[in-house]
Amino acid sequence: MMDIKKVENDIINYDIVKVNEDIRQKVNNILINEWESTDIIIRGKVVDGTKLDGFVALKDNEIIGLITYVIENNECEICSLNSFIENKGIGTNLINKVKEYAKEKDCTRLKLITTNDNIRGLEFYQRRGFVLSNIYKNAIENSRKIKPQIPMFADNGLPIRDEIEFEMKLQ
């Protein structure tokens, strides 16, 4: 049984569907294309993206957005978020879907990590109610030891150096 939420937006209509075996390979391909591998490094720990739960935004059977997460100890951590059509509410709707699901699972906190170079992300998450909870200075230096393909500099020219944690209380 698929968990589907119909979403109607100004210009585009899409479904939000829980990641399942039918679309797992497409999700894995997105992780490889967007993050250089299915391994995601968070606070120096390798997270296997092929085993993460998540939701996708589907339009005409194509993935236009992806969010992955893990739930541990009554906390839900967003591991990745991609929206392939900007400024249409896809990222926001995916976060809201995870937030709703985390509450159903009795999570008390929703959190995520981004990096210091992600200026748009820093604004995006704060506008959606996340607050800064931690800064892990020079954390990416250690992450590169595990995943050397992490670039030194972002497309915007900023050094990729620190992990910034955001959180949202759920209860």
Side-chain angles (χ1 to χ4, degrees):
M1 181 173 165
M2 296 178 97
D3 180 10
I4 298 177
K5 176 185 176 190
K6 272 283 191 214
V7 178
E8 294 193 14
N9 199 304
D10 295 337
I11 298 172
I12 61 171
N13 297 320
Y14 54 92
D15 298 319
I16 294 181
V17 179
K18 191 160 179 48
V19 171
N20 58 53
E21 290 310 310
D22 294 338
I23 58 175
R24 176 58 71 182
Q25 189 56 52
K26 287 182 179 180
V27 167
N28 293 348
N29 290 341
I30 289 170
L31 293 174
I32 291 167
N33 289 336
E34 298 295 317
W35 303 103
E36 303 289 332
S37 84
T38 57
D39 288 338
I40 301 169
I41 313 300
I42 301 174
R43 288 182 309 282
K45 184 175 91 175
V46 178
V47 177
D48 181 356
T50 67
K51 293 182 172 52
L52 288 173
D53 288 319
F55 294 96
V56 295
L58 286 175
K59 178 175 176 46
D60 300 326
N61 217 22
E62 291 297 318
I63 296 175
I64 60 171
L66 167 67
I67 191 166
T68 62
Y69 61 90
V70 63
I71 295 177
E72 291 178 346
N73 303 322
N74 289 26
E75 292 186 341
C76 180
E77 182 162 14
I78 294 171
C79 300
S80 71
L81 175 63
N82 294 93
S83 176
F84 301 110
I85 303 174
E86 296 292 321
N87 302 313
K88 300 297 178 200
I90 297 166
T92 300
N93 285 323
L94 288 168
I95 287 173
N96 288 340
K97 186 66 176 173
V98 169
K99 182 176 159 184
E100 176 185 307
Y101 185 78
K103 285 180 178 180
E104 289 173 10
K105 297 297 181 184
D106 296 323
C107 292
T108 58
R109 182 174 179 235
L110 179 61
K111 63 183 181 177
L112 62 91
I113 293 276
T114 191
T115 50
N116 63 284
D117 63 290
N118 188 2
I119 303 302
R120 289 185 70 200
L122 297 173
E123 178 184 3
F124 175 83
Y125 295 122
Q126 291 177 82
R127 288 188 184 273
R128 278 131 195 98
F130 286 90
V131 296
L132 181 70
S133 59
N134 265 311
I135 297 176
Y136 302 97
K137 293 181 180 180
N138 298 314
I140 302 304
E141 184 177 318
N142 289 330
S143 296
R144 280 191 192 96
K145 292 175 185 171
I146 301 166
K147 188 175 176 179
Q149 60 266 54
I150 298 172
M152 295 296 290
F153 293 90
D155 290 340
N156 61 13
L158 291 175
I160 303 173
R161 181 186 54 235
D162 309 314
E163 289 182 337
I164 299 172
E165 183 176 85
F166 284 95
E167 72 175 4
M168 176 187 292
K169 302 291 184 191
L170 297 178
Q171 297 178 348

